[in-house]
Amino acid sequence: MPEIIFNGPAGRLEGRYHHAGTGMPIALVLHPHPQFGGTMNNKVVYNLFHTFVNRGFSVMRFNFRGVGRSQGSFDNGAGELSDAASALDWMQSYNPSAAECWVAGFSFGAWIGMQLLMRRPEINGFISVAPPASKYDFTFLAPCPSDGLIVQGTEDQVIAEPEVAKLATRLSNQRGIKVKYETIKGAGHFFEDQMEELKTSVGSYLDMRLGRNS
């Protein structure tokens, strides 16, 4: 898939982009924490990317500032949110007639993605994998502006599953919003042995939202 370089707030950002065609939905996939080895080539991010590709989306994954060939340095989330907004701007300029707009993220990327969701009303669906509810404040989701899916491993050694369950319950209790919460039994933080289950969970949710379930 084509490598792209686009301008971000702290310099050039490096990404991978798949173009599905005019009028197709778009999705942005965000990677885990840069200071703990997170990059756009993380296996969860890679598989999320291709799950969207396989359903006809134009999709981008990219490296936050200071990762890979992206310029700048880690900015504790504020700068990374600006990077994500720049990536979405690039995608929208390339896809002005996109049917839908989605954001997906893994761990730290899920936290950034949910913040982007609050700032960009055109985003009408989200996928959050292992959102770091025990490490970051998610109270900004008041209310959560769109329906989405939260997926969590039951044996996550980094993010406590009960904390993610609390977040999902709180969001589900908001009027007019449907947040689906799924746990994957036995999965650790990186879903090493449960990647197929993760892909199935996300893919089935996308099929449901896109009206493709028989």
Side-chain angles (χ1 to χ4, degrees), residues 127-161:
I127 307 290
S128 284
V129 178
S134 58
K135 296 182 179 293
Y136 292 99
D137 184 5
F138 280 81
T139 57
F140 58 82
L141 291 164
C144 181
S146 79
D147 298 348
L149 172 69
I150 296 176
V151 186
Q152 177 68 26
T154 61
E155 303 302 319
D156 191 321
Q157 68 279 23
V158 178
I159 310 298
E161 188 276 327

Side-chain angles (χ1 to χ4, degrees), residues 28-34 36-49 52 64 103-114 127-132 136 138 149 151-153 156-159 187-192 195 198 202:
L28 177 66
V29 184
L30 304 174
H31 71 70
H33 204 296
F36 297 97
T39 78
M40 66 175 174
N41 295 320
N42 169 272
K43 287 185 178 180
V44 172
V45 171
Y46 178 88
N47 281 285
L48 286 172
F49 181 96
F52 280 104
F64 288 125
V103 63
F106 169 44
S107 195
F108 174 84
W111 181 57
I112 298 296
M114 297 301 271
I127 307 290
S128 284
V129 178
Y136 292 99
F138 280 81
L149 172 69
V151 186
Q152 177 68 26
D156 191 321
Q157 68 279 23
V158 178
I159 310 298
H189 190 62
F190 295 99
F191 297 86
E192 293 95 334
M195 193 64 70
L198 176 61
V202 173

Side-chain angles (χ1 to χ4, degrees), residues 30 33 50 74 81 107 122 184 195:
L30 304 174
H33 204 296
H50 283 283
F74 181 67
L81 176 56
S107 195
E122 67 271 26
I184 296 182
M195 193 64 70

